[in-house]
Amino acid sequence: MRRQRQNIQERQLSLAFMAGERDEVPRPSQQGLELRTAASAPERPAREEGLMEEVCARANLFRAWKRVRENQGSAGVDGRTIDETLAYLREHWPTLKAQLLHGTYTPQPVKRVLIPKPGGGVRKLGVPCVVDRLIQQALLQVLQPRWDPMFSEHSYGFRPGLSAHQAVAQAQQYIAEGHTWVVDIDLEQFFDRVSQDRLMARLAARIADKRVLKLIRAFLRAGVLENGLLRPTDQGTPQGGPLSPWLSNVVLDELDGELTRRGHRFCRYADDCNIYVRSRHAGERVMASVARFLTRKLRLTVNAAKSAVARPAERSFLGFSLANDGRHRRIAPQALLRFKRRVRDLTRRTRGVSLPTLIAPLARYLRGWRQYFGFCQTPHVLAHLDASIRRRLRMYLWRQWQNGRNRFRELRRHGVSKFGAAVAAGSPTGYWRMSRHPALQQALHKAYFDAFGLPRLAPSSLA
């Protein structure tokens, strides 16, 4: 029933997106435009003046809406949720579309949200309202295919078909080839420090449609609502909207070009950039020259405290630590520490819920974590984590069973001998030590937790 209602809403929204569509994309002959061909100059991928019509095309908007709905996210400053925005668009989309096509649309300010960083501090996100997220996503779908082929092959972040795993594997290859020193560059508050004027100049060099440029500038200047106060944004690209990652690649493409021109071996994922060289001396020279380029040319700030020239094993890249010979990639110590803290929080023994209720959110977290960090080449670490998780769950159940009589009965119910159950139930040992007791391991074995849907992190041969 819910799915049927959703389909009806989508059809109604699709009809709303059709408003005035018949004449919205002018023919090239009407505008004096040239058809794009394979022979078009590759360095100018978005010269068409009718980009805004493509942005507002029904198919593009409907695809953008599906992506926004899938990503969910909280409401913006207007307080409208995804479902409420759907009703709003059915009524107001023709007006919004006219404003976009005439270059008069004004985005709303973004809502400031503070997210704790894994390494300490907070990350400042700017959450646009759902309508603005829809428009940003529609813009991204039109601009990204034109710009992406022009980006560096060494840029892996937020690009179709590329991933953090590919960046880590490429870095590993550089090390294996003998570039065993890494120049790890950390940009201080990158998204808050981007020069909007430089960014817009770079966009204007490749985008002819003034309405698109004006709209992007409006998103950059929309302001941030924080603690009830509206703060102007005359620099930076607020994180949180669909356009922000793509804009970061536009900004740092200049850095990619400069590093390529100098012949460096490097990998960049968003603002995380590692350069691989053969000696410490070369690394220190590269660090100094690249820092000057970033400061003077791109007007960005290098965080000296977090940047370093070091051996790969001493640094982490996208959550992984690479061996100095390039043979192995391990999970970085900081990532392991964050994992253990999260598991402890999800399995704390005072939660007072049933085991299936406890395991459900834990399983979701483990599946997502395994999908990313399963890329490591140290399966024994994953097996150790599996054992540690099962031990925490045994400790949780042991506390829930509360007293000797209940513990004896539960152990017997799970197949433990009468003598073994009696010894374990009468033990004064604490919860954590008791979780390794042979009787508990016999009763609450691997298959027991498998039946509740607990994923295993290690490959099946080791799990």
Side-chain angles (χ1 to χ4, degrees), residues 67-68 71 110-112 124-130 132-140 158 191 219-220 237-248:
R67 175 57 66 89
V68 169
N71 291 340
V110 298
K111 183 175 68 175
R112 174 67 78 211
K124 297 180 180 180
L125 297 185
V127 179
C129 64
V130 180
D132 287 339
R133 295 209 294 269
L134 168 68
I135 295 171
Q136 286 193 33
Q137 181 64 36
L139 267 173
L140 178 67
F158 311 111
F191 286 92
F219 278 123
L220 294 174
T237 61
Q239 289 178 270
L243 266 183
S244 184
W246 177 77
L247 291 174
S248 72

PDB file of all heavy atoms in Angstrom, residues 67-68 71 110-112 124-130 132-140 158 191 219-220 237-248:
ATOM      1  N   ARG A  67      17.244  10.559  -6.399  1.00  0.00           N
ATOM      2  CA  ARG A  67      18.503  10.528  -5.647  1.00  0.00           C
ATOM      3  C   ARG A  67      18.351  11.251  -4.304  1.00  0.00           C
ATOM      4  O   ARG A  67      18.833  10.761  -3.272  1.00  0.00           O
ATOM      5  CB  ARG A  67      19.607  11.176  -6.483  1.00  0.00           C
ATOM      6  CG  ARG A  67      20.938  11.319  -5.748  1.00  0.00           C
ATOM      7  CD  ARG A  67      21.453   9.990  -5.255  1.00  0.00           C
ATOM      8  NE  ARG A  67      21.790   9.112  -6.341  1.00  0.00           N
ATOM      9  CZ  ARG A  67      22.994   9.075  -6.915  1.00  0.00           C
ATOM     10  NH1 ARG A  67      23.952   9.872  -6.492  1.00  0.00           N
ATOM     11  NH2 ARG A  67      23.236   8.231  -7.900  1.00  0.00           N
ATOM     12  N   VAL A  68      17.698  12.410  -4.307  1.00  0.00           N
ATOM     13  CA  VAL A  68      17.500  13.151  -3.062  1.00  0.00           C
ATOM     14  C   VAL A  68      16.671  12.329  -2.085  1.00  0.00           C
ATOM     15  O   VAL A  68      16.967  12.270  -0.882  1.00  0.00           O
ATOM     16  CB  VAL A  68      16.825  14.512  -3.353  1.00  0.00           C
ATOM     17  CG1 VAL A  68      16.363  15.180  -2.054  1.00  0.00           C
ATOM     18  CG2 VAL A  68      17.780  15.427  -4.107  1.00  0.00           C
ATOM     19  N   ASN A  71      18.755   9.533  -0.562  1.00  0.00           N
ATOM     20  CA  ASN A  71      19.729  10.015   0.419  1.00  0.00           C
ATOM     21  C   ASN A  71      19.069  10.475   1.711  1.00  0.00           C
ATOM     22  O   ASN A  71      19.755  10.630   2.730  1.00  0.00           O
ATOM     23  CB  ASN A  71      20.541  11.162  -0.172  1.00  0.00           C
ATOM     24  CG  ASN A  71      21.460  10.705  -1.283  1.00  0.00           C
ATOM     25  OD1 ASN A  71      21.790   9.524  -1.390  1.00  0.00           O
ATOM     26  ND2 ASN A  71      21.891  11.631  -2.129  1.00  0.00           N
ATOM     27  N   VAL A 110      21.493  27.804   4.296  1.00  0.00           N
ATOM     28  CA  VAL A 110      21.660  26.430   4.762  1.00  0.00           C
ATOM     29  C   VAL A 110      21.612  26.406   6.284  1.00  0.00           C
ATOM     30  O   VAL A 110      21.893  27.403   6.950  1.00  0.00           O
ATOM     31  CB  VAL A 110      22.988  25.814   4.262  1.00  0.00           C
ATOM     32  CG1 VAL A 110      23.016  25.753   2.758  1.00  0.00           C
ATOM     33  CG2 VAL A 110      24.187  26.601   4.791  1.00  0.00           C
ATOM     34  N   LYS A 111      21.227  25.261   6.811  1.00  0.00           N
ATOM     35  CA  LYS A 111      21.148  25.094   8.263  1.00  0.00           C
ATOM     36  C   LYS A 111      22.456  24.493   8.770  1.00  0.00           C
ATOM     37  O   LYS A 111      22.919  23.473   8.269  1.00  0.00           O
ATOM     38  CB  LYS A 111      19.969  24.183   8.617  1.00  0.00           C
ATOM     39  CG  LYS A 111      19.764  24.000  10.111  1.00  0.00           C
ATOM     40  CD  LYS A 111      18.507  23.184  10.404  1.00  0.00           C
ATOM     41  CE  LYS A 111      18.647  21.745   9.970  1.00  0.00           C
ATOM     42  NZ  LYS A 111      17.487  20.919  10.352  1.00  0.00           N
ATOM     43  N   ARG A 112      23.053  25.157   9.743  1.00  0.00           N
ATOM     44  CA  ARG A 112      24.319  24.672  10.298  1.00  0.00           C
ATOM     45  C   ARG A 112      24.091  23.441  11.163  1.00  0.00           C
ATOM     46  O   ARG A 112      23.229  23.422  12.044  1.00  0.00           O
ATOM     47  CB  ARG A 112      24.989  25.757  11.132  1.00  0.00           C
ATOM     48  CG  ARG A 112      26.230  25.314  11.879  1.00  0.00           C
ATOM     49  CD  ARG A 112      27.364  24.971  10.899  1.00  0.00           C
ATOM     50  NE  ARG A 112      28.007  26.170  10.392  1.00  0.00           N
ATOM     51  CZ  ARG A 112      28.543  26.268   9.182  1.00  0.00           C
ATOM     52  NH1 ARG A 112      28.470  25.234   8.364  1.00  0.00           N
ATOM     53  NH2 ARG A 112      29.125  27.379   8.772  1.00  0.00           N
ATOM     54  N   LYS A 124      31.739  21.206  10.246  1.00  0.00           N
ATOM     55  CA  LYS A 124      30.596  22.094  10.053  1.00  0.00           C
ATOM     56  C   LYS A 124      29.912  21.775   8.734  1.00  0.00           C
ATOM     57  O   LYS A 124      30.483  21.986   7.668  1.00  0.00           O
ATOM     58  CB  LYS A 124      31.041  23.554  10.067  1.00  0.00           C
ATOM     59  CG  LYS A 124      31.642  24.015  11.381  1.00  0.00           C
ATOM     60  CD  LYS A 124      32.062  25.465  11.314  1.00  0.00           C
ATOM     61  CE  LYS A 124      32.662  25.950  12.626  1.00  0.00           C
ATOM     62  NZ  LYS A 124      33.070  27.373  12.552  1.00  0.00           N
ATOM     63  N   LEU A 125      28.696  21.254   8.829  1.00  0.00           N
ATOM     64  CA  LEU A 125      27.904  20.972   7.637  1.00  0.00           C
ATOM     65  C   LEU A 125      26.849  22.051   7.463  1.00  0.00           C
ATOM     66  O   LEU A 125      26.340  22.603   8.434  1.00  0.00           O
ATOM     67  CB  LEU A 125      27.221  19.606   7.744  1.00  0.00           C
ATOM     68  CG  LEU A 125      28.121  18.378   7.834  1.00  0.00           C
ATOM     69  CD1 LEU A 125      27.270  17.118   7.817  1.00  0.00           C
ATOM     70  CD2 LEU A 125      29.129  18.346   6.708  1.00  0.00           C
ATOM     71  N   GLY A 126      26.530  22.337   6.205  1.00  0.00           N
ATOM     72  CA  GLY A 126      25.453  23.251   5.893  1.00  0.00           C
ATOM     73  C   GLY A 126      24.369  22.483   5.146  1.00  0.00           C
ATOM     74  O   GLY A 126      24.576  22.091   3.996  1.00  0.00           O
ATOM     75  N   VAL A 127      23.247  22.241   5.785  1.00  0.00           N
ATOM     76  CA  VAL A 127      22.190  21.415   5.193  1.00  0.00           C
ATOM     77  C   VAL A 127      21.220  22.305   4.421  1.00  0.00           C
ATOM     78  O   VAL A 127      20.497  23.102   5.030  1.00  0.00           O
ATOM     79  CB  VAL A 127      21.443  20.617   6.272  1.00  0.00           C
ATOM     80  CG1 VAL A 127      20.340  19.775   5.654  1.00  0.00           C
ATOM     81  CG2 VAL A 127      22.420  19.739   7.049  1.00  0.00           C
ATOM     82  N   PRO A 128      21.178  22.202   3.077  1.00  0.00           N
ATOM     83  CA  PRO A 128      20.195  22.984   2.323  1.00  0.00           C
ATOM     84  C   PRO A 128      18.799  22.413   2.516  1.00  0.00           C
ATOM     85  O   PRO A 128      18.629  21.250   2.909  1.00  0.00           O
ATOM     86  CB  PRO A 128      20.649  22.822   0.858  1.00  0.00           C
ATOM     87  CG  PRO A 128      21.998  22.171   0.915  1.00  0.00           C
ATOM     88  CD  PRO A 128      22.042  21.406   2.200  1.00  0.00           C
ATOM     89  N   CYS A 129      17.776  23.219   2.238  1.00  0.00           N
ATOM     90  CA  CYS A 129      16.416  22.691   2.264  1.00  0.00           C
ATOM     91  C   CYS A 129      16.261  21.691   1.119  1.00  0.00           C
ATOM     92  O   CYS A 129      17.067  21.656   0.187  1.00  0.00           O
ATOM     93  CB  CYS A 129      15.395  23.813   2.156  1.00  0.00           C
ATOM     94  SG  CYS A 129      15.432  24.721   0.613  1.00  0.00           S
ATOM     95  N   VAL A 130      15.231  20.872   1.162  1.00  0.00           N
ATOM     96  CA  VAL A 130      15.083  19.778   0.207  1.00  0.00           C
ATOM     97  C   VAL A 130      14.947  20.302  -1.226  1.00  0.00           C
ATOM     98  O   VAL A 130      15.501  19.719  -2.158  1.00  0.00           O
ATOM     99  CB  VAL A 130      13.877  18.895   0.586  1.00  0.00           C
ATOM    100  CG1 VAL A 130      13.719  17.749  -0.420  1.00  0.00           C
ATOM    101  CG2 VAL A 130      14.049  18.334   1.991  1.00  0.00           C
ATOM    102  N   ASP A 132      16.274  22.988  -2.505  1.00  0.00           N
ATOM    103  CA  ASP A 132      17.607  23.372  -2.972  1.00  0.00           C
ATOM    104  C   ASP A 132      18.482  22.158  -3.226  1.00  0.00           C
ATOM    105  O   ASP A 132      19.320  22.154  -4.138  1.00  0.00           O
ATOM    106  CB  ASP A 132      18.270  24.301  -1.955  1.00  0.00           C
ATOM    107  CG  ASP A 132      17.661  25.698  -1.972  1.00  0.00           C
ATOM    108  OD1 ASP A 132      17.036  26.051  -2.994  1.00  0.00           O
ATOM    109  OD2 ASP A 132      17.805  26.429  -0.976  1.00  0.00           O
ATOM    110  N   ARG A 133      18.307  21.098  -2.424  1.00  0.00           N
ATOM    111  CA  ARG A 133      19.065  19.868  -2.683  1.00  0.00           C
ATOM    112  C   ARG A 133      18.659  19.277  -4.023  1.00  0.00           C
ATOM    113  O   ARG A 133      19.499  18.769  -4.777  1.00  0.00           O
ATOM    114  CB  ARG A 133      18.831  18.848  -1.554  1.00  0.00           C
ATOM    115  CG  ARG A 133      19.362  19.306  -0.206  1.00  0.00           C
ATOM    116  CD  ARG A 133      19.778  18.142   0.676  1.00  0.00           C
ATOM    117  NE  ARG A 133      18.710  17.278   1.096  1.00  0.00           N
ATOM    118  CZ  ARG A 133      18.001  17.416   2.207  1.00  0.00           C
ATOM    119  NH1 ARG A 133      18.201  18.474   2.999  1.00  0.00           N
ATOM    120  NH2 ARG A 133      17.073  16.549   2.546  1.00  0.00           N
ATOM    121  N   LEU A 134      17.354  19.340  -4.338  1.00  0.00           N
ATOM    122  CA  LEU A 134      16.878  18.849  -5.633  1.00  0.00           C
ATOM    123  C   LEU A 134      17.512  19.632  -6.776  1.00  0.00           C
ATOM    124  O   LEU A 134      18.011  19.048  -7.745  1.00  0.00           O
ATOM    125  CB  LEU A 134      15.360  18.970  -5.693  1.00  0.00           C
ATOM    126  CG  LEU A 134      14.711  18.767  -7.069  1.00  0.00           C
ATOM    127  CD1 LEU A 134      14.854  17.317  -7.519  1.00  0.00           C
ATOM    128  CD2 LEU A 134      13.239  19.174  -7.040  1.00  0.00           C
ATOM    129  N   ILE A 135      17.537  20.944  -6.674  1.00  0.00           N
ATOM    130  CA  ILE A 135      18.087  21.772  -7.752  1.00  0.00           C
ATOM    131  C   ILE A 135      19.590  21.560  -7.876  1.00  0.00           C
ATOM    132  O   ILE A 135      20.137  21.474  -8.984  1.00  0.00           O
ATOM    133  CB  ILE A 135      17.741  23.249  -7.496  1.00  0.00           C
ATOM    134  CG1 ILE A 135      16.217  23.447  -7.567  1.00  0.00           C
ATOM    135  CG2 ILE A 135      18.436  24.157  -8.498  1.00  0.00           C
ATOM    136  CD1 ILE A 135      15.748  24.816  -7.125  1.00  0.00           C
ATOM    137  N   GLN A 136      20.288  21.450  -6.743  1.00  0.00           N
ATOM    138  CA  GLN A 136      21.729  21.181  -6.801  1.00  0.00           C
ATOM    139  C   GLN A 136      22.011  19.838  -7.459  1.00  0.00           C
ATOM    140  O   GLN A 136      22.940  19.706  -8.264  1.00  0.00           O
ATOM    141  CB  GLN A 136      22.324  21.215  -5.398  1.00  0.00           C
ATOM    142  CG  GLN A 136      22.460  22.598  -4.805  1.00  0.00           C
ATOM    143  CD  GLN A 136      23.335  22.595  -3.570  1.00  0.00           C
ATOM    144  OE1 GLN A 136      24.283  21.812  -3.455  1.00  0.00           O
ATOM    145  NE2 GLN A 136      23.037  23.473  -2.626  1.00  0.00           N
ATOM    146  N   GLN A 137      21.221  18.832  -7.111  1.00  0.00           N
ATOM    147  CA  GLN A 137      21.412  17.512  -7.718  1.00  0.00           C
ATOM    148  C   GLN A 137      21.148  17.552  -9.212  1.00  0.00           C
ATOM    149  O   GLN A 137      21.872  16.941 -10.004  1.00  0.00           O
ATOM    150  CB  GLN A 137      20.494  16.497  -7.043  1.00  0.00           C
ATOM    151  CG  GLN A 137      20.615  15.074  -7.571  1.00  0.00           C
ATOM    152  CD  GLN A 137      21.979  14.463  -7.336  1.00  0.00           C
ATOM    153  OE1 GLN A 137      22.602  14.715  -6.316  1.00  0.00           O
ATOM    154  NE2 GLN A 137      22.448  13.656  -8.272  1.00  0.00           N
ATOM    155  N   ALA A 138      20.109  18.284  -9.633  1.00  0.00           N
ATOM    156  CA  ALA A 138      19.822  18.424 -11.060  1.00  0.00           C
ATOM    157  C   ALA A 138      20.956  19.137 -11.779  1.00  0.00           C
ATOM    158  O   ALA A 138      21.330  18.763 -12.903  1.00  0.00           O
ATOM    159  CB  ALA A 138      18.506  19.187 -11.246  1.00  0.00           C
ATOM    160  N   LEU A 139      21.527  20.161 -11.157  1.00  0.00           N
ATOM    161  CA  LEU A 139      22.697  20.845 -11.723  1.00  0.00           C
ATOM    162  C   LEU A 139      23.877  19.891 -11.855  1.00  0.00           C
ATOM    163  O   LEU A 139      24.555  19.838 -12.888  1.00  0.00           O
ATOM    164  CB  LEU A 139      23.099  22.007 -10.814  1.00  0.00           C
ATOM    165  CG  LEU A 139      22.544  23.394 -11.105  1.00  0.00           C
ATOM    166  CD1 LEU A 139      22.931  24.352  -9.983  1.00  0.00           C
ATOM    167  CD2 LEU A 139      23.071  23.917 -12.437  1.00  0.00           C
ATOM    168  N   LEU A 140      24.118  19.132 -10.784  1.00  0.00           N
ATOM    169  CA  LEU A 140      25.246  18.201 -10.783  1.00  0.00           C
ATOM    170  C   LEU A 140      25.139  17.192 -11.913  1.00  0.00           C
ATOM    171  O   LEU A 140      26.118  16.887 -12.591  1.00  0.00           O
ATOM    172  CB  LEU A 140      25.294  17.485  -9.427  1.00  0.00           C
ATOM    173  CG  LEU A 140      26.391  16.427  -9.255  1.00  0.00           C
ATOM    174  CD1 LEU A 140      27.762  17.082  -9.267  1.00  0.00           C
ATOM    175  CD2 LEU A 140      26.179  15.649  -7.961  1.00  0.00           C
ATOM    176  N   PHE A 158      34.518  11.428  -5.197  1.00  0.00           N
ATOM    177  CA  PHE A 158      33.231  11.917  -5.686  1.00  0.00           C
ATOM    178  C   PHE A 158      33.163  11.950  -7.211  1.00  0.00           C
ATOM    179  O   PHE A 158      32.663  12.898  -7.810  1.00  0.00           O
ATOM    180  CB  PHE A 158      32.946  13.320  -5.128  1.00  0.00           C
ATOM    181  CG  PHE A 158      33.140  13.410  -3.650  1.00  0.00           C
ATOM    182  CD1 PHE A 158      34.191  14.150  -3.111  1.00  0.00           C
ATOM    183  CD2 PHE A 158      32.297  12.744  -2.779  1.00  0.00           C
ATOM    184  CE1 PHE A 158      34.386  14.230  -1.741  1.00  0.00           C
ATOM    185  CE2 PHE A 158      32.482  12.818  -1.400  1.00  0.00           C
ATOM    186  CZ  PHE A 158      33.527  13.564  -0.892  1.00  0.00           C
ATOM    187  N   PHE A 191      36.886  23.363   3.008  1.00  0.00           N
ATOM    188  CA  PHE A 191      35.598  23.778   2.468  1.00  0.00           C
ATOM    189  C   PHE A 191      35.194  25.176   2.933  1.00  0.00           C
ATOM    190  O   PHE A 191      34.419  25.848   2.267  1.00  0.00           O
ATOM    191  CB  PHE A 191      34.517  22.763   2.855  1.00  0.00           C
ATOM    192  CG  PHE A 191      34.612  21.479   2.080  1.00  0.00           C
ATOM    193  CD1 PHE A 191      35.343  20.403   2.571  1.00  0.00           C
ATOM    194  CD2 PHE A 191      33.989  21.337   0.851  1.00  0.00           C
ATOM    195  CE1 PHE A 191      35.439  19.224   1.856  1.00  0.00           C
ATOM    196  CE2 PHE A 191      34.076  20.164   0.128  1.00  0.00           C
ATOM    197  CZ  PHE A 191      34.811  19.098   0.631  1.00  0.00           C
ATOM    198  N   PHE A 219      24.010  29.879  -4.625  1.00  0.00           N
ATOM    199  CA  PHE A 219      24.147  28.808  -3.637  1.00  0.00           C
ATOM    200  C   PHE A 219      25.342  29.068  -2.724  1.00  0.00           C
ATOM    201  O   PHE A 219      25.278  28.820  -1.515  1.00  0.00           O
ATOM    202  CB  PHE A 219      24.304  27.459  -4.339  1.00  0.00           C
ATOM    203  CG  PHE A 219      23.001  26.841  -4.771  1.00  0.00           C
ATOM    204  CD1 PHE A 219      22.773  26.503  -6.099  1.00  0.00           C
ATOM    205  CD2 PHE A 219      22.001  26.593  -3.851  1.00  0.00           C
ATOM    206  CE1 PHE A 219      21.574  25.935  -6.499  1.00  0.00           C
ATOM    207  CE2 PHE A 219      20.796  26.024  -4.237  1.00  0.00           C
ATOM    208  CZ  PHE A 219      20.580  25.694  -5.568  1.00  0.00           C
ATOM    209  N   LEU A 220      26.436  29.563  -3.290  1.00  0.00           N
ATOM    210  CA  LEU A 220      27.617  29.837  -2.481  1.00  0.00           C
ATOM    211  C   LEU A 220      27.375  30.974  -1.493  1.00  0.00           C
ATOM    212  O   LEU A 220      27.909  30.975  -0.383  1.00  0.00           O
ATOM    213  CB  LEU A 220      28.802  30.188  -3.387  1.00  0.00           C
ATOM    214  CG  LEU A 220      29.337  29.074  -4.290  1.00  0.00           C
ATOM    215  CD1 LEU A 220      30.417  29.612  -5.220  1.00  0.00           C
ATOM    216  CD2 LEU A 220      29.887  27.921  -3.468  1.00  0.00           C
ATOM    217  N   THR A 237      32.731  26.726   0.350  1.00  0.00           N
ATOM    218  CA  THR A 237      31.617  25.989  -0.253  1.00  0.00           C
ATOM    219  C   THR A 237      31.020  25.119   0.844  1.00  0.00           C
ATOM    220  O   THR A 237      31.585  24.088   1.186  1.00  0.00           O
ATOM    221  CB  THR A 237      32.096  25.097  -1.415  1.00  0.00           C
ATOM    222  OG1 THR A 237      33.039  24.143  -0.914  1.00  0.00           O
ATOM    223  CG2 THR A 237      32.756  25.915  -2.498  1.00  0.00           C
ATOM    224  N   PRO A 238      29.884  25.519   1.429  1.00  0.00           N
ATOM    225  CA  PRO A 238      29.331  24.778   2.574  1.00  0.00           C
ATOM    226  C   PRO A 238      29.141  23.292   2.280  1.00  0.00           C
ATOM    227  O   PRO A 238      28.516  22.921   1.291  1.00  0.00           O
ATOM    228  CB  PRO A 238      27.988  25.477   2.809  1.00  0.00           C
ATOM    229  CG  PRO A 238      28.156  26.836   2.208  1.00  0.00           C
ATOM    230  CD  PRO A 238      29.055  26.647   1.034  1.00  0.00           C
ATOM    231  N   GLN A 239      29.703  22.446   3.142  1.00  0.00           N
ATOM    232  CA  GLN A 239      29.512  21.004   2.999  1.00  0.00           C
ATOM    233  C   GLN A 239      28.081  20.629   3.350  1.00  0.00           C
ATOM    234  O   GLN A 239      27.492  21.191   4.254  1.00  0.00           O
ATOM    235  CB  GLN A 239      30.465  20.251   3.931  1.00  0.00           C
ATOM    236  CG  GLN A 239      31.919  20.302   3.537  1.00  0.00           C
ATOM    237  CD  GLN A 239      32.778  19.579   4.550  1.00  0.00           C
ATOM    238  OE1 GLN A 239      33.260  20.155   5.508  1.00  0.00           O
ATOM    239  NE2 GLN A 239      32.980  18.298   4.332  1.00  0.00           N
ATOM    240  N   GLY A 240      27.543  19.670   2.629  1.00  0.00           N
ATOM    241  CA  GLY A 240      26.215  19.184   2.931  1.00  0.00           C
ATOM    242  C   GLY A 240      25.306  19.108   1.730  1.00  0.00           C
ATOM    243  O   GLY A 240      24.344  18.341   1.723  1.00  0.00           O
ATOM    244  N   GLY A 241      25.568  19.894   0.695  1.00  0.00           N
ATOM    245  CA  GLY A 241      24.753  19.868  -0.508  1.00  0.00           C
ATOM    246  C   GLY A 241      25.372  18.994  -1.582  1.00  0.00           C
ATOM    247  O   GLY A 241      26.584  18.729  -1.570  1.00  0.00           O
ATOM    248  N   PRO A 242      24.577  18.535  -2.550  1.00  0.00           N
ATOM    249  CA  PRO A 242      25.103  17.669  -3.616  1.00  0.00           C
ATOM    250  C   PRO A 242      26.207  18.315  -4.450  1.00  0.00           C
ATOM    251  O   PRO A 242      27.073  17.620  -4.973  1.00  0.00           O
ATOM    252  CB  PRO A 242      23.865  17.380  -4.475  1.00  0.00           C
ATOM    253  CG  PRO A 242      22.702  17.570  -3.556  1.00  0.00           C
ATOM    254  CD  PRO A 242      23.104  18.667  -2.630  1.00  0.00           C
ATOM    255  N   LEU A 243      26.189  19.644  -4.593  1.00  0.00           N
ATOM    256  CA  LEU A 243      27.174  20.314  -5.440  1.00  0.00           C
ATOM    257  C   LEU A 243      28.546  20.437  -4.793  1.00  0.00           C
ATOM    258  O   LEU A 243      29.557  20.536  -5.489  1.00  0.00           O
ATOM    259  CB  LEU A 243      26.684  21.713  -5.809  1.00  0.00           C
ATOM    260  CG  LEU A 243      25.926  21.909  -7.112  1.00  0.00           C
ATOM    261  CD1 LEU A 243      25.601  23.386  -7.313  1.00  0.00           C
ATOM    262  CD2 LEU A 243      26.706  21.381  -8.310  1.00  0.00           C
ATOM    263  N   SER A 244      28.585  20.452  -3.468  1.00  0.00           N
ATOM    264  CA  SER A 244      29.824  20.778  -2.764  1.00  0.00           C
ATOM    265  C   SER A 244      30.999  19.869  -3.127  1.00  0.00           C
ATOM    266  O   SER A 244      32.097  20.360  -3.401  1.00  0.00           O
ATOM    267  CB  SER A 244      29.582  20.760  -1.256  1.00  0.00           C
ATOM    268  OG  SER A 244      30.729  21.152  -0.553  1.00  0.00           O
ATOM    269  N   PRO A 245      30.834  18.524  -3.156  1.00  0.00           N
ATOM    270  CA  PRO A 245      31.979  17.676  -3.527  1.00  0.00           C
ATOM    271  C   PRO A 245      32.482  17.952  -4.942  1.00  0.00           C
ATOM    272  O   PRO A 245      33.693  17.958  -5.183  1.00  0.00           O
ATOM    273  CB  PRO A 245      31.419  16.254  -3.403  1.00  0.00           C
ATOM    274  CG  PRO A 245      30.254  16.377  -2.481  1.00  0.00           C
ATOM    275  CD  PRO A 245      29.667  17.721  -2.767  1.00  0.00           C
ATOM    276  N   TRP A 246      31.550  18.175  -5.887  1.00  0.00           N
ATOM    277  CA  TRP A 246      31.967  18.458  -7.255  1.00  0.00           C
ATOM    278  C   TRP A 246      32.723  19.776  -7.326  1.00  0.00           C
ATOM    279  O   TRP A 246      33.746  19.883  -8.013  1.00  0.00           O
ATOM    280  CB  TRP A 246      30.742  18.483  -8.173  1.00  0.00           C
ATOM    281  CG  TRP A 246      31.068  18.844  -9.586  1.00  0.00           C
ATOM    282  CD1 TRP A 246      31.640  18.039 -10.532  1.00  0.00           C
ATOM    283  CD2 TRP A 246      30.863  20.105 -10.223  1.00  0.00           C
ATOM    284  NE1 TRP A 246      31.798  18.733 -11.716  1.00  0.00           N
ATOM    285  CE2 TRP A 246      31.323  19.992 -11.552  1.00  0.00           C
ATOM    286  CE3 TRP A 246      30.326  21.318  -9.790  1.00  0.00           C
ATOM    287  CZ2 TRP A 246      31.277  21.064 -12.452  1.00  0.00           C
ATOM    288  CZ3 TRP A 246      30.266  22.380 -10.689  1.00  0.00           C
ATOM    289  CH2 TRP A 246      30.740  22.246 -12.000  1.00  0.00           C
ATOM    290  N   LEU A 247      32.253  20.792  -6.610  1.00  0.00           N
ATOM    291  CA  LEU A 247      32.940  22.078  -6.598  1.00  0.00           C
ATOM    292  C   LEU A 247      34.340  21.948  -6.007  1.00  0.00           C
ATOM    293  O   LEU A 247      35.277  22.622  -6.441  1.00  0.00           O
ATOM    294  CB  LEU A 247      32.123  23.103  -5.809  1.00  0.00           C
ATOM    295  CG  LEU A 247      30.806  23.556  -6.459  1.00  0.00           C
ATOM    296  CD1 LEU A 247      30.029  24.459  -5.512  1.00  0.00           C
ATOM    297  CD2 LEU A 247      31.063  24.264  -7.787  1.00  0.00           C
ATOM    298  N   SER A 248      34.501  21.064  -5.018  1.00  0.00           N
ATOM    299  CA  SER A 248      35.839  20.859  -4.446  1.00  0.00           C
ATOM    300  C   SER A 248      36.789  20.284  -5.489  1.00  0.00           C
ATOM    301  O   SER A 248      37.977  20.637  -5.526  1.00  0.00           O
ATOM    302  CB  SER A 248      35.758  19.935  -3.227  1.00  0.00           C
ATOM    303  OG  SER A 248      35.503  18.590  -3.598  1.00  0.00           O
TER     304      SER A 248
END
